[in-house]
Amino acid sequence: MFTYSYSFLRKRRGLQWLAFAAAALAVIAAGSSKARSTGGQQSILSIAEQRGLTPDDAVRAVKTFVPPGSHDEYLLFASGGHSGQLHVVGVPSMRLLRTIAVFTPEPWQGYGYGADWSEEALNEPLIGGGPDALRWGDSHHPALSETDGKYDGRFVYINDRAHGRIGMVDLADFRAKQVLQVPNIQTSHGGIFATPDTKYVHISSKIPALKGWDAQKGGRVTVNDHLNHFPELYRGYSTFVRVDQKTGRMVMKDSFQVELPPYTQDLADAGKGPSYGFAFINSYNVEMSTGGIEQGKPPIEVGASQLDFDYLHIVNWQRAEEVVAAGKFKEINGIRVIPLETAAAEGVLFLAPEPRSPHGVDVAPGGDYITVAGKLDPHATVYGFDLIKKAIDAKNFEGKDLYGVPILKFDAVVAGKVELGAGPLHTQYDNAGNAYTSLYLESAVVKWTLGPPYHTADQAFKVVDKINVHYNIGHLATAQGDTMDPQGKYLIAMNKWSIDRHANVGPLHPQNFQLIDISGPKMELVADMPIGFGEPHYAQMVKADTIKAHEIYDPGVSPAAMTRSPNAIAGPQEAKIVRRPGVVEVWMSVVRSHFTPDIIQAKVGDRIIVHLTNIEQTPDATHGFAVPTKNVMVSLDPGETTTVEFKADKAGSFSFYCTEFCSALHLEMQGWLIVEQ
Ligand code: K7E
Ligand code: CUA
């Protein structure tokens, strides 16, 4: 019986292949005469058959295949979760192209191992108190910079979920250039999003922190008792960080915060088009539950789910700019803060009820709809921005919260509700008025229709397709799906679990990206990509040709500033060593296959400063400078200048060397640090 059905299957498969081959031949005949010759139909069929592939597999392979030497159409910028990094993946090939260190030292790039720009980024002490230098971060939400609501390929920002920090990566060289600490928040989640012009990048707090970071703020209330006074003592903050348009750097003195009630603010998104000037932030735990079973209180997950509604926070940041300009702010820990009462009274902050414990909030491409999806509720709730605007103007409030913030009437602002399935989280959009929502509990992606002007009212807010993913999807990313220029085409499901999808490499399974073709009416799963390097939360997908990165640096450029460093030298003839009491300062040239000078002499206790210039102007002619036992490892790309500093802490001879196999004489590219007693 088994044999029979097996051979039957084989026969069927043979027939399928015959049909596939005929179709493929027709396609090739119809195509250009320049079509690549790849050894003929027969061999493709036999290879596929030998490998046990089905015609569907072959279609998937062709859809995702990027020939050797060819480039991907899209780049996916995916967070690395608690690895603190950012990853760049080619789509549709799903090949990892680059890992960029942001919050975590990364020796390959020399990040955090000596070079000046990373030292500056990573070694700044925490302004709210903490270790001298943080050694990790939890990167969650990358945001590509935008111009006119479209990705402009200049910068990427990413938040550290574990701390109130934002990293900035310059896409001119794919390097982190700044890690900014945001005052008054302890952990962050709402954003990063960039406003459609990247005037600001936004981040809001996750778990509310003690107001003003001040443990003494409680007055008579002792630290042990703080949680019992949670509603008075804790606050959230929505932060608009001003971006220098030329350098992409974030400028604290031009930034401001809006104080928020101590609900737990979650994800956030920027208004655009008609909703430009507004920001939307979800919240949960408006019950302000703190947990504490021993104190007779319900556990947080119970306490935070008592009410049917939480609050969507609507921040009018253009109004906030006026309020700040009018001086109605307090400076707290180095940032201008609009107090909660002022925000409520001045039309900066509004609340709208949202079904209990939401997670994602995502603004549609036209800036007209705001989709909220909520873990415990199988529906997406779609707010109309025109309705929100109308309700604000008409003061159509159902009341105020404990802090005097007006609450808009739920029925007045909701444009539609769609039943999606179990555990909806995040939503992305395509170029045909469709939304795609991840279903965490159901391990699926559901496609549904937006309302007018994308679809007529009778076609609006309907589920049109659903596809299973593997497994437990968190975020998802469509091509440019959170800009005003969505592309359709591709969707990446970012799955938390992979279970049996990849070879077993131990109990810590890789997470799983799945590429889904969304160009047709039915979604089609075409590829899996194991993610063996952290938990990517969110990603953004951009047309690859939007980004124009440098191949080499102009001679002597310091990546930190992208200008020629005053310490750069033109070649070995300018190399020198200058000694001052307690300091040995070296100007060193680096080129295939020599460091000049190649012997540095110092005394125990000396501070050693080395200005390195890679004088190469050939793409890929990268050198490294590694000093054993000193925690110094710098990568020097062609043209780059950087400075390392370290202490000659003990006597001996130390052989520094180049870490990149740069030439036939790479192994000879070395030198000595001699430290005398
Ligand atoms: Cu859903 Cu940080 Cu965006 Cu993870 S969060 S999934
Ligand atoms: Cu330079 Cu190896």
Side-chain angles (χ1 to χ4, degrees):
M1 187 64 189
F2 174 78
T3 330
Y4 170 76
S5 54
Y6 179 69
S7 67
F8 173 73
L9 208 78
R10 275 184 62 93
K11 216 178 260 162
R12 251 181 55 119
R13 198 170 265 192
L15 285 173
Q16 281 175 15
W17 270 112
L18 223 62
F20 176 75
L25 276 172
V27 167
I28 288 168
S32 95
S33 55
K34 282 184 285 175
R36 250 171 262 261
S37 164
T38 53
Q41 279 302 305
Q42 196 46 54
S43 65
I44 295 175
L45 292 183
S46 59
I47 293 166
E49 186 129 46
Q50 272 170 26
R51 296 201 58 212
L53 302 177
T54 66
D56 281 349
D57 292 331
V59 169
R60 291 189 188 106
V62 172
K63 278 188 172 176
T64 57
F65 183 65
V66 175
S70 299
H71 297 179
D72 280 295
E73 186 182 359
Y74 289 93
L75 295 179
L76 183 78
F77 287 83
S79 86
H82 30 294
S83 76
Q85 299 166 332
L86 181 67
H87 303 290
V88 187
V89 173
V91 179
S93 74
M94 305 307 281
R95 297 179 294 196
L96 178 66
L97 298 174
R98 182 74 197 261
T99 289
I100 305 167
V102 182
F103 298 114
T104 307
E106 206 293 312
W108 171 50
Q109 298 159 84
Y111 192 74
Y113 288 91
D116 48 8
W117 53 277
S118 60
E119 293 296 301
E120 185 193 325
L122 286 184
N123 287 345
E124 204 184 357
L126 272 188
I127 50 179
D132 282 351
L134 274 177
R135 280 305 182 214
W136 79 290
D138 186 3
S139 60
H140 270 226
H141 304 128
L144 287 150
S145 58
E146 296 182 15
T147 300
D148 297 331
K150 297 171 188 169
Y151 297 146
D152 57 23
R154 302 179 66 208
F155 309 104
V156 192
Y157 301 84
I158 192 158
N159 74 305
D160 172 5
R161 157 69 179 86
H163 311 96
R165 296 192 299 170
I166 308 174
M168 186 272 281
V169 171
D170 187 348
L171 293 179
D173 59 0
F174 281 59
R175 282 183 165 186
K177 296 288 170 69
Q178 188 186 16
V179 174
L180 182 83
Q181 300 183 32
V182 179
N184 303 322
I185 67 182
Q186 190 176 60
T187 55
S188 70
H189 210 231
I192 306 294
F193 66 68
T195 56
D197 46 10
T198 320
K199 181 175 187 181
Y200 297 102
V201 288
H202 173 274
I203 190 67
S204 46
S205 50
K206 176 89 170 158
I207 315 294
L210 217 51
K211 212 174 167 178
W213 271 352
D214 189 349
Q216 306 312 316
K217 265 277 152 56
R220 288 168 295 121
V221 183
T222 63
V223 175
N224 286 344
D225 218 20
H226 278 168
L227 289 180
N228 291 328
H229 297 263
F230 192 84
E232 309 101 78
L233 298 185
Y234 289 74
R235 289 293 180 270
Y237 292 90
S238 161
T239 315
F240 291 84
V241 181
R242 189 66 178 266
V243 172
D244 178 303
Q245 296 304 305
K246 247 188 96 197
T247 62
R249 291 184 72 84
M250 298 167 280
V251 186
M252 189 51 75
K253 75 169 177 44
D254 299 326
S255 307
F256 63 86
Q257 278 180 327
V258 179
E259 189 183 275
L260 304 175
Y263 312 141
T264 301
Q265 281 81 26
D266 200 12
L267 282 142
D269 202 3
K272 49 199 172 198
S275 53
Y276 178 85
F278 284 78
F280 308 93
I281 313 170
N282 269 337
S283 70
Y284 59 93
N285 196 9
V286 301
E287 296 86 347
M288 297 184 275
S289 168
T290 58
I293 300 175
E294 282 150 35
Q295 285 83 40
K297 294 179 188 168
I300 293 187
E301 70 275 19
V302 176
S305 311
Q306 284 163 349
L307 301 173
D308 288 336
F309 288 95
D310 289 289
Y311 294 127
L312 175 66
H313 295 42
I314 300 157
V315 181
N316 182 341
W317 60 257
Q318 281 190 314
R319 179 76 194 115
E321 283 180 327
E322 294 168 4
V323 170
V324 169
K328 296 176 191 164
F329 64 84
K330 282 186 194 148
E331 179 139 347
I332 305 175
N333 295 315
I335 190 168
R336 298 171 298 177
V337 180
I338 301 177
L340 184 49
E341 319 77 68
T342 312
E346 297 280 347
V348 171
L349 180 64
F350 301 89
L351 302 172
E354 48 186 4
R356 168 201 300 171
S357 299
H359 187 46
V361 54
D362 297 283
V363 178
D368 36 13
Y369 292 107
I370 300 122
T371 302
V372 165
K375 296 174 326 205
L376 305 177
D377 179 328
H379 297 87
T381 308
V382 187
Y383 298 79
F385 183 72
D386 54 338
L387 300 176
I388 289 176
K389 197 83 215 327
K390 233 184 266 167
I392 290 175
D393 292 344
K395 298 197 173 9
N396 195 359
F397 306 141
E398 65 171 48
K400 291 182 172 178
D401 79 343
L402 191 63
Y403 302 92
V405 186
I407 304 167
L408 304 173
K409 276 209 185 98
F410 184 63
D411 292 336
V413 293
V414 172
K417 283 196 110 192
V418 205
E419 183 162 350
L420 298 176
L425 295 185
H426 301 286
T427 299
Q428 291 270 285
Y429 304 93
D430 68 10
N431 53 345
N434 301 304
Y436 300 78
T437 301
S438 53
L439 300 176
Y440 177 82
L441 294 175
E442 208 171 311
S443 288
V445 172
V446 57
K447 175 180 175 182
W448 52 278
T449 55
L450 288 167
Y454 308 95
H455 293 277
T456 54
D458 60 318
Q459 293 302 315
F461 307 121
K462 291 200 163 54
V463 168
V464 289
D465 193 20
K466 198 182 255 193
I467 188 170
N468 291 329
V469 293
H470 314 85
Y471 304 87
N472 293 0
I473 179 173
H475 276 272
L476 70 184
T478 54
Q480 305 188 167
D482 64 2
T483 70
M484 300 187 81
D485 183 29
Q487 306 267 299
K489 274 189 159 174
Y490 297 117
L491 181 153
I492 312 280
M494 306 174 73
N495 306 310
K496 308 291 179 190
W497 289 11
S498 63
I499 307 186
D500 53 0
R501 300 291 288 190
H502 302 288
N504 186 358
V505 289
L508 180 59
H509 293 170
Q511 304 213 351
N512 197 26
F513 278 4
Q514 291 187 302
L515 176 64
I516 295 169
D517 177 356
I518 57 168
S519 58
K522 295 286 293 171
M523 290 181 279
E524 219 185 305
L525 175 62
V526 288
D528 277 25
M529 175 192 182
I531 300 293
F533 36 76
E535 180 190 355
H537 286 259
Y538 182 47
Q540 289 187 334
M541 200 192 312
V542 57
K543 278 276 265 167
D545 59 16
T546 310
I547 297 168
K548 312 248 184 294
H550 295 330
E551 281 279 1
I552 48 175
Y553 293 105
D554 288 340
V557 159
S558 155
M562 290 307 256
T563 53
R564 190 178 157 82
S565 162
N567 284 312
I569 57 174
Q573 72 285 353
E574 290 184 5
K576 62 181 173 187
I577 300 179
V578 175
R579 281 167 229 282
R580 302 192 296 276
V583 178
V584 176
E585 191 164 7
V586 183
W587 280 261
M588 182 183 279
S589 74
V590 183
V591 69
R592 281 165 287 177
S593 306
H594 204 75
F595 294 109
T596 311
D598 58 2
I599 295 181
I600 303 170
Q601 281 178 305
K603 287 203 166 59
V604 169
D606 278 353
R607 184 112 206 110
I608 299 183
I609 304 167
V610 189
H611 309 292
L612 299 126
T613 306
N614 177 350
I615 58 173
E616 306 266 6
Q617 286 288 289
T618 307
D620 283 355
T622 296
H623 300 280
F625 175 74
V627 189
T629 78
K630 304 292 177 236
N631 249 340
V632 168
M633 162 49 221
V634 190
S635 171
L636 291 149
D637 297 337
E640 177 176 350
T641 288
T642 197
T643 297
V644 298
E645 282 192 46
F646 57 96
K647 210 169 166 189
D649 51 1
K650 61 176 195 264
S653 51
F654 304 88
S655 59
F656 59 80
Y657 75 105
C658 170
T659 43
E660 295 263 343
F661 207 114
C662 53
S663 63
L665 293 173
H666 152 74
L667 295 172
E668 287 78 358
M669 196 166 170
Q670 52 170 297
W672 294 99
L673 166 67
I674 310 290
V675 183
E676 296 165 23
Q677 199 49 279

